[in-house]
């Protein structure tokens, strides 16, 4: 009985995908992997600052797509 409730609540959660959150998360991930390193190289930022900014963007991406 309890396992049936878990499965049904999981299926209901899967059906309610927030497309806006996924687009935001994908955009932040793209920015952290491609756009930020290119801009940092162009501006002459050092690797530690670029890494810190990439980590911040990836955390924001993860937070945007996390279920609530």
């Amino acid at each position: 009985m309890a396992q049936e409730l878990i499965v049904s609540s999981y299926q209901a959660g899967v059906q309610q995908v927030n497309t806006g959150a996924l687009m935001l998360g994908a955009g932040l991930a793209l920015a952290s992997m491609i756009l930020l390193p290119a801009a940092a190289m162009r501006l002459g930022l050092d690797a530690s600052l670029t890494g810190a900014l990439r980590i911040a963007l990836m955390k924001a991406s993860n937070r945007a797509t996390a279920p609530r």
Side-chain angles (χ1 to χ4, degrees):
M1 177 78 172
Q3 192 168 12
E4 292 173 7
L5 290 175
I6 292 171
V7 170
S8 65
S9 69
Y10 176 75
Q11 289 173 345
V14 168
Q15 292 174 355
Q16 297 176 358
V17 174
N18 188 351
T19 307
L22 287 176
M23 293 297 289
L24 177 62
L28 288 171
L30 175 74
S32 71
M33 288 188 281
I34 297 172
L35 300 176
L36 181 69
M41 186 170 39
R42 181 85 172 162
L43 295 173
L45 299 176
D46 61 342
S48 61
L49 180 58
T50 304
L53 290 173
R54 287 183 71 188
I55 290 169
L57 282 175
M58 289 304 288
K59 283 184 179 181
S61 171
N62 189 27
R63 196 172 288 173
T65 57
R68 296 173 199 249

